[in-house]
Amino acid sequence: RPPRSTLFPYTTLFRSRRYAPHVEVIEVPGDHVSMVLAPNVTVLVQELREVIAAALVTDDLRATAAE
């Protein structure tokens, strides 16, 4: 299995939950540099697309509910 990258080490994230309770860790293949290089970047792009799409749907639902 290839190495996977996260934005923060787990212990840092665990401590940060107090200040950022909605942070979601998504692991992608590669290390800090190689996660943005082919072929790993395709996984990163797909994960970002899914997160952005979900956020847009949530924002649309909130806007509709507020009207």
Side-chain angles (χ1 to χ4, degrees):
R1 182 174 182 189
R4 303 194 58 89
S5 297
T6 55
L7 185 57
F8 302 105
Y10 178 75
T11 55
T12 302
L13 180 65
F14 182 72
R15 287 186 217 132
S16 299
R17 290 247 183 245
R18 177 176 178 189
Y19 306 105
H22 303 290
V23 170
E24 179 182 356
V25 174
I26 300 172
E27 293 186 2
V28 295
D31 60 22
H32 184 75
V33 174
S34 67
M35 70 183 200
V36 295
L37 301 174
N40 299 335
V41 72
T42 57
V43 176
L44 177 61
V45 168
Q46 184 58 39
E47 293 289 348
L48 287 171
R49 283 183 177 147
E50 291 173 14
V51 169
I52 291 168
L56 291 173
V57 168
T58 301
D59 285 347
D60 287 346
L61 292 174
R62 286 183 188 154
T64 302
E67 292 175 355

